[in-house]
Amino acid sequence: TTPHADSLVWKIIHKFATIDLSLSNAKIHLQAHFGGHFIDVNWQPVLWAVMNAKWDAQATLTAINPLKKAAIH
């Protein structure tokens, strides 16, 4: 499977999207999950989608759900 298809990763992204978790803390969680296999640039589209819609939970989920669905399927 690809890293983007990992359901635990999407739980981290969802947490970043829906609670007051900073970008740096979200990256720390992703790095802890992937260890040395975390590649920041691979996650930029998702992280920036969340950042662009931050403070509007519905807009954030609307932004990341298509990315999640595309990654998992």
Side-chain angles (χ1 to χ4, degrees):
T1 62
T2 66
H4 289 88
D6 184 332
S7 63
L8 181 57
V9 169
W10 287 101
K11 288 180 183 179
I12 295 168
I13 298 298
H14 189 269
K15 185 177 178 182
F16 173 48
T18 58
I19 66 168
D20 191 19
L21 183 66
S22 70
L23 177 60
S24 60
N25 281 335
K27 286 183 179 183
I28 288 168
H29 285 284
L30 290 170
Q31 289 168 341
H33 178 70
F34 286 115
H37 299 288
F38 175 73
I39 301 170
D40 187 273
V41 71
N42 290 346
W43 291 96
Q44 288 303 311
V46 174
L47 296 173
W48 286 113
V50 173
M51 290 300 297
N52 288 333
K54 199 77 169 168
W55 312 121
D56 183 343
Q58 187 58 46
T60 303
L61 294 175
T62 298
I64 65 170
N65 279 336
L67 299 169
K68 177 182 176 182
K69 285 180 184 178
I72 292 176
H73 295 280

